[in-house]
Each structure stands twice: as C-alpha cells, then as structure tokens.
Amino acid sequence: MNWSDDEIDKLFQESSSQLNVPYQESFWEEMETLLPAPQKSRRGIAWIWGGFMACILLIGTLFIPFKKIDTPSLGRVTAGKQLPGTPVHAMQASAAQHAVPLTQTQVESTSEKATVPTKPVHVGATTFATLQDATSPLNITVSTQPGQTSGQRLQAARPALAPNTAVALAAPVTPDFVAATESSVHEAENTAVSREPQSVAPETATATTDPVTDISGSESAATTVDNLQALPLRTFREPIAQTDLLPTTFDLLERNRHLYIQLGAGIAQSYISGTNHSSMMPTVAFGAGYLYDPKGWGFSAGLNFQSAFPANLEITQRSQIYGFGVTTYQQNLCYTQLYTVELPLNIQYRKGRHIFSAGLAPTFLAGTLMNLSRSENDEEQENLWYLGKKEGLKSWGLKPTLAYQLKVGKTTMIGMQLNLQTVSQIDPQQFSGKHTALPLSGQITIRRTLSK
Amino acid sequence: MTMKPTHLYVTALLFVFAISAGCKKEVQDLPPSNDPVFRVSGTFGTEAVQVTAGQDGAYMNTWVDNVKGVNCYKGKLCDSDFEIELGIYAGDIDIAGFAPAHITNATQFQWACLSSEPLVRLSKDSLTNSALIDNIKWFIDGVQAGVNDLNIYRPGKYEICALVKFTDQTQSNVCNELIVGYEKNAAFRIQHFLGQNSVLKSWVEVEAGEIASVKWISDGEYIGEGQNLGTILNQEQHIIEAEVAFTNGTKRNRSILIDGSLSGKYIDDFARLERNNIINWDYKAILKIRKNGVDYSSLNAQNDTQSITISSISYFGKNTVGHPVYILKGKLKANVKSLSNMVIPVDLDISFGIVVPE
C-alpha cells in the first residue's frame, strides 16, 4: 500500500489526537536500546603503542600537522544538529545526559485528563517541554537505514510508543480521511496541545504555540473535526529530510594513518666471500611501524629486527708459545647469526594499489650467535657458543632502501625491497677472504596495517 | 589466534634485551705469542748451523747427569739433523750441599779437558807393608778395575776398595772414597800406632782446613771422638774409620785396616794417595755434538784458549721432572774432536737451557 504524504500526515493527526502516553521510566530504557552500543575504548592499546612508537609518532607529528575538521564527517561522533528548514532532530545520547527537574503538566485529551510527570527534554538544539513532545512521532528521528521512506521510519518508531500509550478515549477514533476536508485537516494540524497546567473542556482545545520549537513559525488553533479534537500539528512544508547518521565507530587514527607490522625474508651478500662458502646469506626480519598512506605522497617509519645467517664469517686466531718446544693455540670464532636492529625511514608514493618507496635505515648490530672452538697443538680442547659478541664486527650502519609494495587487501601489502649497506660491518683485517665493500640485500615483505 | 600488539611489543622488547645483553661470559684471550727461547746459531766448522727449539721439531731437553759420581748439569738441543749437548760439572763436591751461585753468577765457563797422565795411581808398592802383600785387587764402585795397580784418569768421586791378599793367604778388604780431579777443600790423613800391649793410638793429620769434629768407628761401632784416639784391640784385624768434618763444610771418611796381632797385615790410608790436582773439573763445561751421525766432543780436543762467555743467566722455569732450568745466553767457542781425531771448530751464539739445582 503506497500512501501519500498527505495521507500519512492525516494518519499522524488522528493518531496524535488519540495519543495519551503516560510517562514511564521504561521509556528511557527503550531509548537506550535505540542508541548505538558504546565502543570499546582503545586507550589501553594507545598507551601500549604509545610507549613503543613514541619516537615514530613524534616524527609523524612534525611532518603532518594535526588538522581539525569542522564539518561533520565520517569517523566522528556527531550529536544531532538541527539544520535550518529541517524539522527532524537526531536523538543520540543527549537526552539521557541532561538531568532536568520534573514538571507536571496536564496533557490535554478528548475524554479525560491525565497528569503525566514530564520534564523538559533537550534534543540537540531543541528543547521540548515534555517528553511527550520529544517523543512525538513528529519529533522522533530514528536511525536511518538505506532505502527506507520517511513513512517506514515513522512506522518503525511507532511500536516504541504504542505499548506505553495509556490513552482512554471516550469513543474510538476512526479516522475518516474521506470526510475530512483539507481545510479541516489543516485546522486540525494547527491545533496545539496545551503546555500549561490548566483545565480544558474536552470539546475545546486551547491553541497554544510552542515557544521553543515552533518550527513552522505559524501559530495555529485547535479545531474540532467530527467531534474530534484535532491537535495542532506542525506543518511540514518541506519534505522530511533525514540526515544519515555517520558511522559511530571511534577510530584512534584517521583513515590514512596506520600502525603496521611487517615480516620479511630474503638474501644478502655476505660480508666475506670465500672459495669454499657461498657468497650469500639468508635473512629474516620482522618489525612494526607507523605509516601515513594517503593517495600520493606519504611516509613510513618503523623498527625492524633482522637476523642474518652468514656462512663464512670466521676469525682465526693463533698463538705460539715457545719454551722447551712450542705449543700452538688456535681459536676459531665463527659467527652463525647476526642480529640487527633497523630504523627504516621511507618516503612513499601511492598510486592506486601500488606503493613505491625509498628511504634510509640506520642499522645497529645488537648481537650475534658465535661458535668458539679452541685447540692446542691441533687437538680440540673446547667448543663453546657465545651470544652477543661482536669481535671484528662494527655496530653501526646505514642502508638506503628502495621498495615496492602492492596492496592486496584493505590491510595487507606484499612487496619487495632492496637495501645497500653503505657502512662496512666488519674489520677486514681480522677475517680471511674477500671483503664485500657494499653488500646488497633483497627481501620479500608482507605488511599488515593494524587500523581499519 | 591473531597476534595482539601487546604480544608483539613484549616479544620485540625481549628480543632486544636478549641479544643486546648477551651472555656475560667472556671469551678468554689466547696467551700472547713469544719468540723462541732456546736456540743456537753459528758455524760448525764451515757449515752454518741454526737450531731453534719449537721449530722443525727441535726440542730442548734438560737433566742432571752423574758422571763418575759427580753431577753434571746438562742440556741438549736437537733436531733431525744437528744435536748439541752442553753440560756444566758440579764443583766443591767434598762440601755437602750445592751452591747454585757458582753457576748462576758465572761470567765464563772453561772447558773440561782430559789428562794424558793418571790423576791417581794406586799401587801395592806404594804401601809400607807391601812385602807382606801378595796382591791387591782394586775395585772402583764395585767393579774390579785393576790388580796391584790402579790408575785413574778421569776426574770423579770414586769408592775404591782394596781386596788385599797377604802372603799368609789371608785376605782383607778396606774401602775409601777418593775425589779425583776436583777441588779438595780439606786435606788430611789418618795415622796410627799399635803398641806391644795392643794399645792403639790413631790420629787425624790435617794437611789443609780446620777440623770441626772427628768420630771414630771400629768395625762399624762407635768408639770415640776427637782428633786423637786411644783404644785397646784384640789380636784380630780391625777396620778403624774416622768421620772428619771441617769448619768449611767439608766432610770426609777415611778407613784403615789394623792388625791386632802385630803381624804387619794392615792397610794404611791409601786415600792419601789423592794427588794434587793436575786438572780441575769444578764448574767446567763439556760440549758434545752429533752431526750427520758423527759424534764430536770437546774433552778430546785442545780447548785451553776456548771458553763460553756468558752474557746472561736467567731463570726460565721447571722441566718435566721439576728441576729448575736456567737460560744461558752467550758466545760459545770450542774445538770438538771426533773418534777419528777430526777436530772441528765451533762458534755459536747460544740461548741454552741447563738445570741448576736449588
């Protein structure tokens, strides 16, 4: 059944004339259910990541000044705001936050008086004298759903009110849309409900104006149509406009700023190449960072931990002690793993799903896994493992990087990067073999952003 | 299960702390290399020679040798081709104990040499009652070395025993220690007189040194003290022994055979036959070389004008048996002679190890 707006309006007129909703506390509870569920605070996560990424965030704020957005936009909680010309108000959380004293007023009805404790209700910029007014079908704005007409929305709102309606009518009200003339309908629409506590004859209606929310700006007097007291109704000269509520998701960061974690694996040129060993060494890395990833230019800053597995990084030390004969001591220090901390700082350019970046990564050799074997006159005396030794190795380095990443999902990127270690990581005098001056390395990476 | 940021953060921190802190155990440094300690280099005849302990399998051996009852402190450095042995003889062997300062403070060592003449001649005919002696068998350290006559050419400390057979076919045996070719820090002889009433009078006649004490022993039993002894003997033969100690530390024993029957079957103190040294091996050096399988010795060669000039002597350490070893550094010049009478001059710079007891 497709109703026209006029028919719907008339239906509202008749309904409101019959409406006598006594106040109940459960109204607030039901209103609570209409409100969106509060989001989990992410302050705990913010504190944890803040400690870990404090320096990176600081760098980010230096390059990207914070910009306040004045207009309602996605990602913000917006309280309902009454726009000029639109009589619809959003009711979100505001009603429950305002404590106002109760006042009593008499709600005018056709057959009986009902004293309903009411309190002024502030909804957005609008103040309603009574809950009734605030919950009037004419003043209710429900959560929008795409595709709903205004009538459907109002129809959806009605069940919240209907069970609590305590209206006793002297006579059933049968809306007679045929008999009602347009003029009488309009007269009935202009009848206002009395706001003041006063006795009103059933047959009479006091036409009063709403001093606060006279949206239409016109005063109207109650009239009687078919012995039914028509309540003054507001005139909807403009179609009801619904403002779609924005998603109320409370994000920690704005859309283009993310925290990420990253895994990588690849190979690198060995610092020393020998005839008996491979000149390449595998590497694995994992890290995290901060990414500013808008369309076009952006940047990232991270903290990576890399483990490399050299095959021929060995120091041989010999000592000969002469006495009655000679005792030859030999000590072999063989590095099997190198642990490096890197701080990659990259500038990137994103075009669609493709991300090209370049940057610099200071590196620090945090530790090693080393095997020490000691022999005396070519007889092995002991074989030990050491963690953290750096004999013959340099701690600091600097790696320019080039990278390409492809966004394969909302939060996932895969890519590859090339690095060049520009600072020698070893003391070539202590290692035997050919020294690689500028070792090149490559990695395949998988990056996942943590924010939506 | 997805990894929460909290887990990643904690894992990363643990990773950094673990690898940065590392194991606190320190890598022990190797002992620093040093230069070779024992080596010789120079010429052997016309050939250049260089032997270094620890190179090419060369090793420095040190030990104490006993040569004719006298200690010789030796060292030998050898490789597969060349072997050199150097020894220093002890001195003042009649004084108990050893004074290492004679070696460690020395600036020069002379070469020990042999004498063409006997250092000691023991003969039956040199005894006063030789007419009553049929023969004397001389034993040196238990080994018969001669009959009636004994000539000793090599210096040493010998235990000489005389097995005397008298003309009445009775035998007697008397032994004495003889120091030959070494310094005697005291000189004495035992004299005796046996009277008709078998009263024995014996005394110590000092030729050098100052007596500190004398103990008399008859047939193994203590009978008295003092430089002079008076006792009564029976009609049999008796061994009278005197233990003489001198104020300079010298300690010697002398024994005589006395015939209580007064039949003339006695043996005087033949130790008095120790002659004044014509050679003296106290703190003398000896050099032995083996090259190409041929042995050479400095004893057989003329080395009156050669010597070892010492630049330094320092303590090195202890050898495998715990004897202290010193490093002798200096210049060695000597002539060595083979059994085939080939004489080779040797001129070496040495850094040599020998044992010097404490």
Side-chain angles (χ1 to χ4, degrees):
Chain A
M1 174 173 69
N2 295 322
W3 288 12
S4 65
D5 287 341
D6 290 339
E7 293 171 337
I8 295 172
D9 292 337
K10 185 178 179 182
L11 188 62
F12 275 123
Q13 289 178 25
E14 295 170 351
S15 297
S16 62
S17 65
Q18 301 166 9
L19 191 63
N20 187 9
V21 183
Y23 170 75
Q24 291 185 11
E25 280 294 333
S26 59
F27 292 159
W28 293 108
E29 295 173 2
E30 290 174 1
M31 189 56 61
E32 290 278 350
T33 61
L34 294 178
L35 298 175
Q39 297 297 309
K40 289 183 182 179
S41 173
R42 294 197 178 190
R43 291 181 184 176
I45 297 176
W47 278 113
I48 292 171
W49 276 108
F52 184 61
M53 298 296 295
C55 60
I56 297 173
L57 291 175
L58 179 62
I59 295 172
T61 55
L62 290 176
F63 287 97
I64 305 297
F66 182 74
K67 182 179 177 183
K68 184 177 179 182
I69 300 175
D70 297 325
T71 59
S73 63
L74 289 174
R76 274 201 174 183
V77 175
T78 55
K81 188 174 182 181
Q82 178 181 345
L83 301 176
T86 57
V88 180
H89 310 278
M91 294 175 59
Q92 290 184 350
S94 300
Q97 295 175 4
H98 297 275
V100 294
L102 292 176
T103 59
Q104 286 190 334
T105 183
Q106 284 184 322
V107 177
E108 192 175 41
S109 66
T110 54
S111 62
E112 61 183 307
K113 300 177 185 177
T115 302
V116 179
T118 62
K119 54 184 179 182
V121 176
H122 300 277
V123 179
T126 306
T127 301
F128 295 96
T130 65
L131 174 61
Q132 179 182 358
D133 293 328
T135 57
S136 166
L138 301 177
N139 296 327
I140 288 176
T141 304
V142 299
S143 297
T144 60
Q145 293 183 12
Q148 272 191 336
T149 63
S150 59
Q152 288 171 338
R153 292 178 186 136
L154 294 173
Q155 185 69 25
R158 280 194 127 192
L161 298 172
N164 298 314
T165 303
V167 175
L169 300 175
V173 176
T174 304
D176 185 356
F177 297 97
V178 178
T181 61
E182 184 175 2
S183 60
S184 62
V185 168
H186 281 295
E187 288 175 358
E189 288 175 351
N190 292 330
T191 303
V193 178
S194 170
R195 301 289 189 271
E196 300 299 326
Q198 58 185 355
S199 299
V200 180
E203 291 76 19
T204 62
T206 305
T208 60
T209 60
D210 183 347
V212 178
T213 58
D214 186 9
I215 301 171
S216 63
S218 63
E219 295 183 358
S220 60
T223 57
T224 56
V225 176
D226 295 338
N227 294 325
L228 294 175
Q229 182 174 8
L231 294 172
L233 298 174
R234 291 174 180 78
T235 304
F236 295 91
R237 295 197 177 93
E238 300 295 331
I240 297 174
Q242 297 278 351
T243 302
D244 289 337
L245 289 178
L246 299 172
T248 57
T249 303
F250 185 75
D251 292 334
L252 176 63
L253 301 171
E254 296 192 19
R255 178 171 286 177
N256 294 327
R257 298 175 182 169
H258 311 281
L259 297 175
Y260 70 85
I261 56 175
Q262 178 172 301
L263 291 175
I267 54 174
Q269 283 185 298
S270 294
Y271 301 141
I272 291 286
S273 57
T275 55
N276 297 328
H277 299 281
S278 169
S279 60
M280 308 299 286
M281 58 181 179
T283 62
V284 292
F286 71 92
Y290 175 84
L291 172 66
Y292 178 62
D293 183 35
K295 287 182 182 176
W297 294 98
F299 87 98
S300 67
L303 186 67
N304 288 351
F305 303 94
Q306 176 178 283
S307 178
F309 303 87
N312 52 359
L313 210 58
E314 190 170 322
I315 296 176
T316 300
Q317 299 171 333
R318 287 196 187 88
S319 170
Q320 281 189 317
I321 306 300
Y322 285 97
F324 297 111
V326 64
T327 303
T328 302
Y329 299 98
Q330 181 165 315
Q331 191 165 267
N332 292 328
L333 287 68
C334 181
Y335 292 101
T336 58
Q337 292 186 30
L338 305 176
Y339 308 119
T340 308
V341 176
E342 301 178 347
L343 196 69
L345 304 170
N346 293 318
I347 295 175
Q348 66 173 47
Y349 181 80
R350 182 159 76 91
K351 188 175 176 61
R353 294 195 303 156
H354 304 279
I355 303 167
F356 304 89
S357 63
L360 277 177
T363 64
F364 175 73
L365 181 66
T368 66
L369 181 63
M370 180 187 74
N371 176 250
L372 173 72
S373 64
R374 195 175 282 128
S375 62
E376 185 176 316
N377 289 335
D378 296 328
E379 289 183 10
E380 186 173 274
Q381 300 297 313
E382 58 182 356
N383 194 301
L384 302 170
W385 288 91
Y386 285 88
L387 194 64
K389 299 301 173 185
K390 298 185 193 178
E391 203 161 328
L393 302 177
K394 307 276 180 71
S395 291
W396 296 96
L398 188 65
K399 287 203 294 192
T401 64
L402 289 174
Y404 164 77
Q405 288 179 321
L406 177 68
K407 206 165 185 179
V408 296
K410 279 189 179 179
T411 58
T412 306
M413 289 170 269
I414 59 174
M416 61 182 75
Q417 67 181 33
L418 281 176
N419 309 304
L420 183 72
Q421 181 59 265
T422 58
V423 179
S424 175
Q425 296 293 286
I426 65 170
D427 178 6
Q429 303 294 332
Q430 297 197 40
F431 293 89
S432 59
K434 186 180 176 185
H435 175 222
T436 305
L438 298 173
L440 194 65
S441 63
Q443 276 193 345
I444 293 175
T445 60
I446 297 176
R447 177 180 287 185
R448 185 178 175 88
T449 57
L450 298 179
S451 52
K452 295 180 184 175
Chain B
M1 182 180 75
T2 58
M3 189 174 186
K4 297 181 180 178
T6 311
H7 299 161
L8 181 64
Y9 175 57
V10 173
T11 303
L13 278 182
L14 289 176
F15 179 81
V16 172
F17 285 133
I19 62 177
S20 295
C23 179
K24 294 299 181 184
K25 186 176 179 180
E26 294 297 326
V27 176
Q28 292 182 358
D29 292 332
L30 290 178
S33 295
N34 62 345
D35 292 328
V37 178
F38 303 110
R39 59 181 177 272
V40 295
S41 63
T43 57
F44 176 78
T46 56
E47 289 183 55
V49 169
Q50 181 165 342
V51 183
T52 303
Q55 295 180 1
D56 299 326
Y59 195 84
M60 183 80 230
N61 288 295
T62 58
W63 74 100
V64 179
D65 203 1
N66 189 283
V67 180
K68 304 297 183 188
V70 177
N71 287 336
C72 183
Y73 309 110
K74 287 187 173 179
K76 182 161 71 175
L77 182 59
C78 57
D79 60 10
S80 57
D81 182 50
F82 188 83
E83 186 175 311
I84 176 171
E85 178 182 315
L86 178 66
I88 305 294
Y89 288 103
D92 299 318
I93 59 177
D94 58 349
I95 296 178
F98 175 77
H102 286 286
I103 295 179
T104 58
N105 292 339
T107 58
Q108 192 178 56
F109 291 103
Q110 301 293 331
W111 295 109
C113 58
L114 292 174
S115 170
S116 57
E117 293 183 13
L119 301 177
V120 167
R121 278 202 184 100
L122 296 175
S123 172
K124 179 176 77 72
D125 295 333
S126 61
L127 298 176
T128 55
N129 59 342
S130 61
L132 297 176
I133 296 172
D134 189 22
N135 60 72
I136 298 177
K137 292 180 181 177
W138 298 101
F139 293 83
I140 297 178
D141 297 326
V143 177
Q144 185 172 338
V147 178
N148 293 333
D149 296 309
L150 175 64
N151 293 326
I152 300 175
Y153 291 89
R154 292 288 295 265
K157 185 193 292 188
Y158 302 96
E159 182 73 14
I160 306 294
C161 291
L163 181 61
V164 180
K165 187 176 181 182
F166 294 98
T167 54
D168 63 354
Q169 306 304 306
T170 57
Q171 290 188 33
S172 296
N173 187 49
V174 64
C175 298
N176 271 299
E177 178 188 271
L178 266 67
I179 293 176
V180 179
Y182 285 91
E183 185 72 24
K184 266 80 71 178
N185 293 283
F188 67 99
R189 59 187 291 186
I190 296 179
Q191 299 281 32
H192 78 281
F193 175 80
L194 184 63
Q196 291 291 333
N197 53 358
S198 300
V199 174
L200 174 67
K201 288 185 181 179
S202 68
W203 63 96
V204 175
E205 195 170 278
V206 178
E207 296 172 358
E210 183 180 346
I211 290 180
S213 65
V214 180
K215 288 183 181 177
W216 297 99
I217 299 164
S218 173
D219 298 324
E221 291 183 7
Y222 171 78
I223 57 174
E225 287 187 14
Q227 192 168 354
N228 300 309
L229 173 70
T231 187
I232 296 175
L233 301 177
N234 57 22
Q235 302 294 313
E236 296 177 355
Q237 288 179 314
H238 300 277
I239 301 295
I240 304 299
E241 183 179 354
E243 291 181 359
V244 183
F246 289 81
T247 57
N248 61 4
T250 301
K251 225 176 199 182
R252 301 294 303 275
N253 289 7
R254 291 287 169 84
S255 297
I256 57 174
L257 178 70
I258 295 178
D259 181 12
S261 65
L262 291 174
S263 58
K265 295 185 292 186
Y266 61 88
I267 302 294
D268 273 336
D269 177 14
F270 58 82
R272 63 182 173 81
L273 298 177
E274 293 175 343
R275 293 176 61 180
N276 290 332
N277 296 322
I278 56 175
I279 58 173
N280 188 319
W281 277 19
D282 290 75
Y283 310 111
K284 289 293 195 303
I286 179 172
L287 179 67
K288 292 181 180 179
I289 289 176
R290 170 177 287 191
K291 182 161 173 58
N292 298 328
V294 179
D295 292 326
Y296 303 84
S297 174
S298 63
L299 280 179
N300 303 328
Q302 189 65 250
N303 284 301
D304 294 341
T305 58
Q306 311 292 351
S307 64
I308 303 175
T309 304
I310 300 298
S311 60
S312 68
I313 299 180
S314 57
Y315 176 75
F316 172 73
K318 293 194 175 181
N319 60 9
T320 54
V321 296
H323 291 151
V325 176
Y326 283 73
I327 305 174
L328 270 63
K329 291 185 178 181
K331 189 79 172 176
L332 183 153
K333 287 187 177 181
N335 293 313
V336 292
K337 191 175 182 180
S338 67
L339 292 177
S340 60
N341 293 325
M342 184 185 299
V343 177
I344 305 292
V346 178
D347 188 345
L348 300 172
D349 290 316
I350 64 169
S351 177
F352 213 86
I354 60 169
V355 172
V356 180
E358 295 170 343

